[in-house]
Amino acid sequence: MERDVSNHEYPLAADEQERIAKLRAYDVFNNEHDPAFARLTELVKLFFDIPIVTITFMDERTQYLRAPHGLQGTCTTSREVAICNYTVLSNDVFMVPDLAKDSRFIHNSLISQSPNLRFYAGAPILLYEDNKVYRLGSLCLMDTQPNHTFDDKQAELLTKFAAMAADALELQKSQRLAKRDSKMKSKFLANMSHEIRTPMNGIVGMIEMLDDTELNLEQKSYIDSMKISTEHLLAIINGILDLSKVESGKMTLDSVPMDLSVLCNEVVDLFAVRAQQRGLSLSCRYPSELSPYVQGDPVRLKQVLSNLVNNAIKFTRKGGSVSINIHATPHCDNTQCSYLGCREMTLCIEVADTGVGIKPKALENIFEAYNQADNSVYRLDGGTGLGLSVCKSLVTLMGGHIWVTSVVGEGSVFKVLLPIPILKESQYKAWQCSHEMEHQPVLTDKSGHILLAEDDNVNAMVAKKVLHNSGHRVTHVTDGQSAIEEFSAKPECFDIILMDHHMPIMDGIQATTKLRELYDPTELPPIIALTANAMDGEREKYLQAGMQDYCTKPFKKEKLATLVQYWLVQKP
């Protein structure tokens, strides 16, 4: 039964309901540990040399004591005994030198019983919002002895400390809203990734199927152009997704031995044709005295280099040059290295070009997401402004630094400092030998009966074509419930289940969970997720549900065929 707030033995502020509503928006009605409040009450206790200090907030029934000192673990009291009821009535400090001699409090259990309070001074925590002042709570000083020496100067200082509590409240709210917005953005981007990747898979698959038919030269050129366009669109989608992963803290890095010189040359090979088409020279310089073996994340490092080289080629005109240069930091002649903490770094990687250069004003925000240094150039060459932001995020995640120097009309040099361990050849070879068996190719060709659960007709057509061309039989259903029914009708017939994640009636994870409830997991064939979800952590989610692997859309026909073949060979 709700207490009638009009029937009370303590005063209520005129804006009581608004005050409580505002506090709920700030999410303070709890006893969770708050580092900012804890530091503040500790500081106040030391400053005033008083035994009891706390921050209080009150709803209709309860007073919450935040970061209390000297109250032996008390975290809440009833609203009826809260002395702070009087503090939130005005903007001034409320002070009672001896509570036991004040008629308002002589029957209060906090005075007549433990902790037997005698002195109280409370400053209201004021929030200025919506052109109004809200007295949200109190910063309180209390003692079990009377105090007749608390003066106006001390009251003024207590008010300033209360203002710090208000600042902490606003900061906490801003941080909470930022986290919420970040989660919402990540969820939105993940959903958009799924919604875009699903039709993209159909487009890529249909183009590959068309490419396998008899075409004349003109038709072949159209198909090649379509492939380039789809790859460009997919690169944009992946850029948005990578940025979302980093911002949401879901990006993880590997740490494995790799040959950096090989990786750099792979990047050169990747862009060699494009550079040649634009009339550019593209090269890599790796000093012979520097060990090429390092430990880090080869996929993400290659992504950084590829983005930088791609940008350099994009903004360099015919007859120019683009180069990748590697230095050990002790021999690096970059003047900014010492400023950036070069002693902790091991490698300096430069991507230099003789392109159009970047205007000084644009350099200030060059690594910001969605920023484009020169919109007119981007309109000519394409781009979203995400590539350099992703580079910055990845390099920072690796513990490194990235910056750029540029002269308009002469070119730009992007420099990356990384604290990655440099290995000896013997260390790299030992690791390589220990991992050779894990990467043996599947040589045996086996055919099987595949149960395909996919609700999108185009994607189903693509998957069936790939599987049929690989010699497999395919039974197609359009939802998870139908997959369970089809498998239950003849469980011994199916060698692999390909399960789309998002389907009507019952999704792929629900269907997998249900199959594992109905059957001994050892009796089930391998279940592979077909998914347009590409966020980090998706693989773990599918494995926890009982699936054996997953394939991200849009998939190349070779990737799906190889994955199915692998699990057919692994199947007992």
Side-chain angles (χ1 to χ4, degrees), residues 92-128:
D92 301 321
V93 171
F94 177 73
M95 193 268 294
V96 182
D98 191 345
L99 292 162
K101 294 183 178 180
D102 190 307
S103 60
R104 294 170 294 184
F105 305 109
I106 55 177
H107 300 298
N108 189 309
S109 60
L110 296 178
I111 288 82
S112 60
Q113 302 172 29
S114 179
N116 301 111
L117 299 176
R118 295 292 296 274
F119 168 73
Y120 174 92
I125 297 173
L126 305 177
L127 176 71
Y128 298 88

Side-chain angles (χ1 to χ4, degrees), residues 274-345:
R274 188 172 169 211
Q276 187 178 19
Q277 289 172 342
R278 294 178 69 96
L280 309 177
S281 67
L282 177 60
S283 62
C284 175
R285 300 184 184 93
Y286 202 104
S288 57
E289 67 273 12
L290 177 62
S291 170
Y293 307 114
V294 300
Q295 183 152 330
D297 190 324
V299 174
R300 295 306 177 186
L301 188 52
K302 190 173 184 177
Q303 183 179 0
V304 170
L305 283 175
S306 295
N307 274 340
L308 295 178
V309 171
N310 180 50
N311 258 21
I313 292 175
K314 185 185 297 183
F315 299 116
T316 303
R317 300 305 179 221
K318 186 175 181 179
S321 64
V322 175
S323 63
I324 302 173
N325 308 301
I326 314 296
H327 309 279
T329 49
H331 305 290
C332 177
D333 59 0
N334 288 320
T335 56
Q336 293 194 32
C337 282
S338 58
Y339 171 73
L340 293 171
C342 184
R343 283 174 294 181
E344 300 176 3
M345 304 297 160

